[in-house]
Every structure is written in structure tokens, then in C-alpha cells.
Amino acid sequence: MNTHNLEITIQGMTCASCAGRVEKALQQFPGVHSASVNLATTHAYIQSDTALPLADIQNAVEQAGYHLATQTIDLTISGMSCASCVGRVEKALLQLEGVMKASVNLATAKARVETLAGLPSHALITAVETAGYQAALPLTAQTPKVHAEDYAWVIAALLSLPLVLPMLAALVGLDINLPGWLQWLLATPVQFWLGRRFYTAGWKALKAGTGNMDLLVALGTSAGYGLSLYQLLSPHSGHAAAHYYFEASAVVITLVLLGKWLESRAKQHTATAIQALQALQPAVARVRRGAQDIEVAIEKIQIGDLVVVKPGERVPVDGVIHEGQSHIDESMITGESLPVPKQPDEKVTGGAINGEGLILVHTLAIGAETTLARIIRLVENAQAAKAPIQRLVDRVSGVFVPIVIGLALLTLLGWWWYNADVEQAIIHAVAVLVIACPCALGLATPTAIITGTGVAAQHGILIKDAEALEIAHRINTVVFDKTGTLTQGKPLLVAHLAASGDEQELLALSAAVQSGSEHPLASAVMAEAHQQQLQIPTASQIQALPGRGVRAEVNGRSLSLGNSRLMQELGVDVAPFAERAQSLEQQGNTLSWLAELGKPNRLLGLLAFGDEIKPQALPAVARLHALGIKTLMITGDNAGSAHRVADQLGIQQVLANVLPGDKAAAIVQLKHNQQTVAMVGDGINDAPALAAADVGIAMATGSDIAMHTAGITLMRGDPALVADAIDISRRSYAKIQQNLFWAFIYNVLGIPLAALGFLNPMLAGAAMAFSSVSVVSNALLLKRWKPTRPTKNRPL
């Protein structure tokens, strides 16, 4: 019996027991003879009766606590003409051993393939070429090239015009029919030279055992051309009643070529957002080396370099201002309408425009790690992804062409049986073949996704994938975090009370415990301690307690600083400050308690923090309510502070004192109640809830973990962008529905009309070309979208 051998790479193994767990996970599959893991090479070897589904293997490895090493390869695909081509390329890639996922986008002519680590790209290219298409690794340069064949329609139109003129002249009573031999002479180069692409692609599809748009065009026009040639060479060719269809075949090819050219031009416009973002990166930068400023290529800049940015220039790198101050226009990156004042030690983003002052920027990130590069990757990933609704279209298109060929054959036989006129029967069958080309079906979804994600990025809304874009239109519940999302997230220390009466010692100890934290409350403590010029002792063994506080050793004392929940866990008596704490909470302040661990644990003091609500928060919540969306707040903060903010904003439901894990559980509960939930947050503690929601929306002003977890990232900390994100999702999904409706209705109505003889091949060709162009043009209307609130953003 033949056996199947598979080698995979496992990540995360550290010891022999890890290897044993992976082996056990792999041996569970039926038909597996053996599974061995080499810890030194991190390779696993599986021997089985048949090939095992890679997705199942990946799930088994992940459930064991490890990861299957994978890679993502992007390919540029040429030769695709319709949705059935997309399906064939994906099928060819997925049949290749080692390929886990393959997504092909007709609008961008690109494929994104996830494979086992180590699978060479040339194997993917070979698989695509075997399926009848061309594939290559994408070039770094994104400027579209102009080929002579792009304007083949011009030559075809010039050759076809003399064939059409007699038809036009007949409308005004003139008879200027061309001789049959001259018609043949004009039509032949259109059919076999300019139309060669249809024969080539159609033949490759036939060899692959499927069909595509090119095959339909080749069959239809060949039938018309062949019928005309037969009539020309038959004995009655000189008879006045003889009629040729050379003009029909030539004009169909001309119209299809014109349609493809218009479609290509329109598709280029869908990618303008990416091109504009790429243009934000300067090619050179001015770097200060010693006492000199020298220009160097952007790729040669190193972390730590001092970059000189003159007034009016683009900032070439991510970094912090080392010297100088200015206003920075970040509208291209964040959608922020006004320039932002910047001073030394404040961060600047590559691609932003420097205002009136000369600044020196200390480089923190270069190349692929810059904010601009990450934004471009996010937008590219979203545009390369396939929306769930597109999968239905792909399944339909996979059987569409064979059905159309069958309908054309039935049309031929039906008309032939009806009136015994084979000439008329062929022409009606040709019309069916021509009008049924499924180009519009393949373009309906990806063009809307590309345009929608692109225009959203221009206004500071980064949509990570097509699925998030599609799901977001169904959102009916939005859950907000409080601190940093609805409030400024920069609280001030408004009161601190020490049990011993020494408030400076309380503040110094609290600052020491918080010294390793980036939490907004920690920043407030540190700022107050520095303002009072206190000597802050050194802390060690600092340990974060998620959702509760922080613990550290300070001068030999074990201290814990956190919320009331932490004090309850530690059994600390807070009664001495209970009345004062209640008063501060009722005023909307957030409380933290400092305790010393010992026998017993004892309270050292109380700290109270106030936080201002963002000015955009009230209109943001009001707009969501106007859209019919329910709002909630889930926060780890105390109930008094949470309800004060919720009451001011009109938020309908509040959950306070919630741990990060409980936030995720609350989101899951909402989903169980048949609600489509979006979670909006900015902190590390929001990451579980962001992941649990149907759509996670993260503020880019918060933590990187939150942004990586969320499906949508808002490039500035403006909660009003939440409604904007939902709005562009709704509009994009509406465009997808419109495009699919017209693409389907066009075929549903067009094919019967052609089969019944109401459309000749030329009209069918014009309708087919128009359908593709109209679908792309309809998607391009999304480029006019702007946030509801008036902004002064300059368009990309």
C-alpha cells in the first residue's frame, strides 16, 4: 500500500515533553502510521495512508499549545478575465501540497497564498502556469506599465468601422455594402491577430478542463466568422441576397477589448489610496553626521540617526523630536484635520508634513517597522482578502461557463429546429455566448472592497480585512471602554491621603511602584511626584496585576497599589477612608489604594484621579443612537466614575469593576443574545474583548496589542470615527449588493433575450462590456465618501 509522507515545522517547542505532546496530537488522525518530532530541527514527520488536511493539522498543533510554521507569499497573476478564472487559479494553488489557503483577487490581479514554511515560490508559479495563467512575484515598483496591447481596441475599431458604416448608412436609405472579400480582409486581422488573446486563454482553459470568458468570446466570434467565411466561399456567394456576419464578429471583439481597457483604467483608480500612501515616503533624507548634514537614501537610514527636517518637508522616519518645535500636519496618516503642535521628546510619524520650524528627529523606526509601512500593509491585506459573500460568487462562477455553453447549444438546436435556418440559429447562439461573459460577477465584490478600504484609510480608518468590512455593516451594539476611549486617558491626581499623614512619602512610594508602568494613572502619579520634586526610591520585582493594579518591592517593603478589588483580595481594611472615598467616587473620580503587605496587610493611603471626557465623545454616541445602534460601557474603573461618564454621554448600560477576562465574557454574552457587537478600546486589557467581539475597533493612540487584535484601527483617538467606520462599511456592502444584483440580473435578463433572438451579437458584446465597466464605476462612487462631520482633510 502506498503511504503519504509529510514534513512540517513546529514553533514553540522547548523540551522533550513538548515534542511528545505534538506527537500525540498528530497521532490522533485516522490513517496515521507514525508521527515523530525532532526537537533539534523542530521538524515533525508524519506517515499516513492519505494526505491529511493541513487545516486540521494546524488546529491539532495549536490545541496542543504550539504553532505550525507558515509563510505568506504574494503573486501577481496575469491572464485572468472573469470570476471562473479566479476559481481555477485558487483550485490550482490549493491542490499543491503544502498550500493551506489561497485567495485570488480579480480586481488587483493578485494572489495571497499561505503555505507551510519552506515551500518555494516557484512551485506556486508552476501550478498557476499549469492552470493556463502567468504568475510572478510582485515587483517593488507599483507604477502600472502601459503595454501596446492595452490599446489594441483602437486598431480593432479602425478595422471594424468600415464594416459597420454600411449598417449605419442603411438607416438613412443608402446602400454601400462592401464586397465580401473586403469584409473578410478587414475582419480577419481583428479575429486572429487582435483577438488572439481570447483563443490563447480559451485554449488553456479547455486544457485545464474548464471554461472562462475568453472561451465564450472565442467560440462566439469564431462561429460568426466561420459562418460568414462559409457563405463567402459557397457557390451563392456572389448572390445579392448573401449576408455576412464579419462585422458582428469584429465588432464584438472590438467592444470586448474596449471594455477590458476601460475596466483596467477604472481598476487602477481603485488602487489610488495605496499609491498615495506609498508616495508619502520620501526617497532621500537629510542626516546630521557630526557637524555636517548629508543626504542619504531612505533605505540607508539607521535607528538612532538624527534626521534634519526643514519647514515644508515630509518627515522621512518615525521618531521623537530631539531639537526644535513646529506644527506637524498628520492628516495624510491620521485624518486629523489640523496641524498638531510638536515639541522636543514628542513623537512624529514618517510621511507627515513639517510646518514652520526646523526640527531634528531621533530615528526610532525604519523600513517595514514604520507606522506608514504598517498602514500600507494593513490596507493591502484588506484589499487582498476575500469577503465571505465573494465565496458564494466564486462557487456560482465555477459552473457558470459550462452552463452557458450548454444554453448556447440548446439555442442553436432550438432555432434550427424551429425554422431550419442554420444561419439564424448560429447567430442567436453566438449572442448567448457573448452576452453571458461573467466578468462583472468577478469584479463586483473586490472593487467595492478596494475602494471602500482605500477611502476609509484616507480618513484615518484602517480596516484590517474584508471580513471586518462586511460584518461591520450589521453592527447593532457598540461597547466602549472608558479610559482613553471616551475620556482623555490622561487623568490628573486630584487628591492623595496618607494614613500616616505624610502625603509626600505616600506619593513617593506610589511613584516608585508605578515607575515601570505605562498606565495613564501611573503617568499622573509620576507627573505629580516630579512636579513636587520628590526623591523617588528604586523599585524592584515589579509585577502587573491585570485589572487590579501593580505590586513591587521598595526599600525592602512589599507594596501593592490598585483598586478596591485588589484591597478586598488582600484583606486590607479601607474603613478609615471609606467616607472620603465614597465622596470622591460620587464626584466621578477613580480611586487607587496603596497597601503594605505584612502580618497583617495594612493600608498606607488613598489616591484619587480625575479624567476629562473627550469633546468628541458626546456627538459620537449621539450619532450611533441616530443610526439605531445600542451603546454600552464596560470598564475596570469604579461604578461612580463609570456612571458619571455614561450619564453625561447618554450611554444606556454600564458594567464597572470588570476584569479583562470578564470583559470578553460580557461580549460573548451579548453575542449570544443575537446581537452583532463591536468593541471599542485602546488598552492591553481590552485585547481579549476586542478579539471576542464580532468586530474589534482599536484606537491607534493606545497599545499595539489592541491594534493587532482589532479588525479596525482608528488612527486618531476620536470616538466619532466609530460611526464613520460603520457608515463606510454599510456603504461598501451596499455597493457589493448593488454590483452583484446588476451582474446577476444582467445575465438573468440578457441570456434569455439573446436566446429568443432579441439581441444580436454586436448588442450583446456592447452590453457585456458595459456591465463590467458599470460595476467598477459604481464601486468608484465610494471615493466620494467623507465622514459625516465636516473636516478640512486634503484628499490623497
Side-chain angles (χ1 to χ4, degrees):
M1 179 183 293
N2 293 330
T3 58
H4 184 271
N5 297 304
L6 178 65
E7 179 181 339
I8 57 177
T9 302
I10 309 295
Q11 295 176 325
M13 297 188 299
T14 58
C15 60
S17 62
C18 298
R21 280 196 292 274
V22 173
E23 287 180 353
K24 184 178 179 180
L26 297 175
Q27 287 168 353
Q28 67 177 334
F29 292 102
V32 171
H33 298 303
S34 64
S36 60
V37 177
N38 187 320
L39 184 61
T41 62
T42 68
H43 288 174
Y45 306 90
I46 308 170
Q47 190 177 71
S48 59
D49 291 334
T50 58
L52 300 174
L54 291 178
D56 293 346
I57 293 176
Q58 185 178 32
N59 288 336
V61 171
E62 289 179 351
Q63 287 177 5
Y66 307 95
H67 297 284
L68 194 62
T70 61
Q71 62 185 7
T72 300
I73 299 175
D74 289 330
L75 297 175
T76 299
I77 311 293
S78 54
M80 296 190 300
S81 58
C82 62
S84 60
C85 298
V86 170
R88 189 158 53 259
V89 174
E90 287 183 350
K91 183 178 179 181
L93 290 168
L94 289 169
Q95 286 178 340
L96 191 65
E97 185 172 8
V99 173
M100 306 180 70
K101 297 178 184 176
S103 177
V104 179
N105 190 315
L106 179 63
T108 59
K110 289 183 179 178
R112 173 152 294 180
V113 190
E114 184 180 350
T115 75
L116 294 177
L119 183 69
S121 58
H122 66 77
L124 303 177
I125 293 172
T126 301
V128 173
E129 291 176 345
T130 302
Y133 303 89
Q134 294 79 47
L137 294 174
L139 301 173
T140 52
Q142 299 294 322
T143 304
K145 295 182 179 179
V146 177
H147 301 283
E149 63 185 34
D150 292 340
Y151 294 93
W153 68 271
V154 177
I155 304 173
L158 293 174
L159 292 171
S160 301
L161 185 60
L163 297 172
V164 179
L165 283 177
M167 296 175 57
L168 301 176
L171 297 176
V172 293
L174 297 177
D175 184 6
I176 54 173
N177 281 334
L178 300 178
W181 65 268
L182 182 55
Q183 293 185 43
W184 170 81
L185 194 63
L186 290 168
T188 299
V190 177
Q191 185 73 38
F192 298 108
W193 172 43
L194 300 172
R196 183 178 65 176
R197 57 184 286 179
F198 302 112
Y199 288 98
T200 302
W203 174 243
K204 289 178 178 178
L206 273 179
K207 287 198 300 182
T210 56
N212 60 5
M213 183 206 81
D214 301 298
L215 179 62
L216 296 180
V217 174
L219 286 175
T221 58
S222 295
Y225 178 90
L227 174 62
S228 302
L229 184 61
Y230 168 78
Q231 292 174 325
L232 179 64
L233 298 177
S234 66
H236 75 277
S237 61
H239 194 274
H243 183 75
Y244 308 111
Y245 296 94
F246 288 119
E247 84 284 348
S249 299
V251 170
V252 165
I253 288 177
T254 301
L255 288 171
V256 175
L257 291 174
L258 173 61
K260 298 303 289 182
W261 179 75
L262 291 172
E263 178 187 306
S264 175
R265 290 285 300 270
K267 285 193 294 186
Q268 288 177 15
H269 287 293
T270 65
T272 52
I274 286 286
Q275 295 164 5
L277 286 170
Q278 290 168 337
L280 296 182
Q281 177 74 66
V284 296
R286 197 175 293 103
V287 178
R288 179 159 294 180
R289 300 274 168 83
Q292 281 189 319
D293 295 344
I294 59 173
E295 286 193 351
V296 299
I298 193 72
E299 58 269 15
K300 293 186 177 178
I301 294 179
Q302 299 177 353
I303 292 177
D305 278 346
L306 277 180
V307 177
V308 182
V309 187
K310 294 182 177 180
E313 292 183 340
R314 288 199 182 279
V315 179
V317 296
D318 285 6
V320 295
I321 296 179
H322 177 74
E323 181 181 313
Q325 56 185 9
S326 183
H327 283 77
I328 304 295
D329 181 356
E330 298 178 332
S331 60
M332 298 294 189
I333 307 296
T334 66
E336 181 65 61
S337 58
L338 299 175
V340 180
K342 297 286 185 177
Q343 302 180 41
D345 297 328
E346 291 190 328
K347 291 184 178 181
V348 292
T349 304
I353 300 175
N354 184 25
E356 73 284 357
L358 184 145
I359 56 175
L360 287 180
V361 177
H362 182 81
T363 303
L364 295 180
I366 56 176
E369 299 306 314
T370 63
T371 299
L372 179 59
R374 293 201 302 270
I375 290 173
I376 292 173
R377 283 200 301 275
L378 278 172
V379 178
E380 286 179 334
N381 289 342
Q383 296 184 349
K386 183 168 293 187
I389 196 172
Q390 180 65 24
R391 299 183 189 119
L392 171 63
V393 177
D394 291 344
R395 287 197 295 271
V396 172
S397 63
V399 297
F400 189 76
V401 173
I403 290 175
V404 168
I405 294 175
L407 291 173
L409 183 59
L410 287 175
T411 301
L412 173 67
L413 296 175
W415 278 97
W416 194 2
W417 172 81
Y418 176 70
N419 59 11
D421 187 342
V422 69
E423 176 182 325
Q424 191 179 43
I426 290 175
I427 291 305
H428 294 328
V430 168
V432 171
L433 289 171
V434 171
I435 201 168
C437 299
C439 314
L441 281 177
L443 295 168
T445 300
T447 50
I449 288 172
I450 290 171
T451 309
T453 54
V455 73
Q458 294 175 21
H459 295 284
I461 302 167
L462 296 183
I463 301 172
K464 186 181 294 184
D465 54 50
E467 188 167 359
L469 180 70
E470 182 173 327
I471 294 174
H473 87 277
R474 295 189 280 109
I475 290 172
N476 53 28
T477 303
V478 172
V479 179
F480 287 100
D481 172 51
K482 182 179 76 71
T483 306
T485 302
L486 294 173
T487 64
Q488 296 287 2
K490 295 180 179 179
L492 301 175
L493 183 64
V494 296
H496 51 292
L497 308 172
S500 65
D502 189 345
E503 294 183 350
Q504 287 194 337
E505 181 191 28
L506 172 69
L507 185 58
L509 291 175
S510 300
V513 174
Q514 298 272 37
S515 60
S517 174
E518 296 182 359
H519 193 281
L521 298 184
S523 300
V525 172
M526 298 299 292
E528 183 66 23
H530 287 308
Q531 183 176 347
Q532 294 190 23
Q533 299 181 344
L534 300 179
Q535 187 71 31
I536 301 174
T538 302
S540 62
Q541 301 182 35
I542 299 175
Q543 177 187 359
L545 306 172
R548 293 168 294 168
V550 65
R551 179 177 296 162
E553 295 288 328
V554 180
N555 293 338
R557 303 168 69 181
S558 182
L559 303 179
S560 288
L561 177 66
N563 56 22
S564 299
R565 180 189 293 268
L566 179 60
M567 296 301 106
Q568 290 174 2
E569 291 178 1
L570 297 176
V572 174
D573 181 15
V574 297
F577 291 118
E579 186 176 342
R580 179 62 173 146
Q582 183 179 6
S583 173
L584 288 168
E585 275 194 323
Q586 287 173 348
Q587 296 171 26
N589 296 307
T590 299
L591 303 184
S592 287
W593 307 83
L594 182 66
E596 182 174 1
L597 304 184
K599 295 183 180 179
N601 300 334
R602 64 189 185 94
L603 181 67
L604 297 183
L606 166 67
L607 298 93
F609 302 88
D611 190 6
E612 293 184 4
I613 296 174
K614 290 181 177 179
Q616 312 96 324
L618 181 59
V621 173
R623 187 171 165 216
L624 288 172
H625 291 166
L627 293 173
I629 296 172
K630 180 181 179 182
T631 57
L632 294 85
M633 180 196 296
I634 298 181
T635 178
D637 211 342
N638 66 77
S641 177
H643 281 286
R644 179 184 69 90
V645 172
D647 291 343
Q648 290 185 30
L649 298 180
I651 290 177
Q652 298 143 328
Q653 185 177 342
V654 177
L655 295 177
N657 294 308
V658 181
L659 292 173
D662 294 335
K663 283 188 180 183
I667 296 293
V668 171
Q669 183 60 46
L670 289 171
K671 291 168 65 176
H672 285 163
N673 294 334
Q674 306 301 314
Q675 299 185 52
T676 303
V677 182
M679 172 68 195
V680 187
D682 72 329
I684 293 174
N685 61 331
D686 296 321
L690 291 169
D694 292 294
V695 179
I697 303 177
M699 303 281 189
T701 49
S703 71
D704 287 344
I705 293 176
M707 287 187 286
H708 291 157
T709 306
I712 298 176
T713 297
L714 310 180
M715 289 306 296
R716 61 183 190 273
D718 183 353
L721 287 177
V722 175
D724 292 332
I726 296 172
D727 184 45
I728 188 59
S729 170
R730 289 181 175 182
R731 292 174 186 268
S732 298
Y733 192 73
K735 288 298 180 189
I736 291 173
Q737 290 179 310
Q738 293 166 15
N739 284 351
L740 289 176
F741 171 79
W742 288 114
F744 276 111
I745 204 70
Y746 158 82
N747 283 297
V748 168
L749 296 179
I751 292 175
L753 288 175
L756 294 173
F758 294 109
L759 292 177
N760 64 44
M762 285 188 293
L763 286 175
M768 188 213 68
F770 175 76
S771 70
S772 298
V773 175
S774 63
V775 161
V776 179
S777 301
N778 186 45
L780 286 173
L781 293 177
L782 283 170
K783 291 174 69 69
R784 300 186 302 181
W785 178 85
K786 284 181 171 56
T788 298
R789 295 162 294 104
T791 62
K792 299 179 181 180
N793 296 7
R794 293 192 302 273
L796 285 175

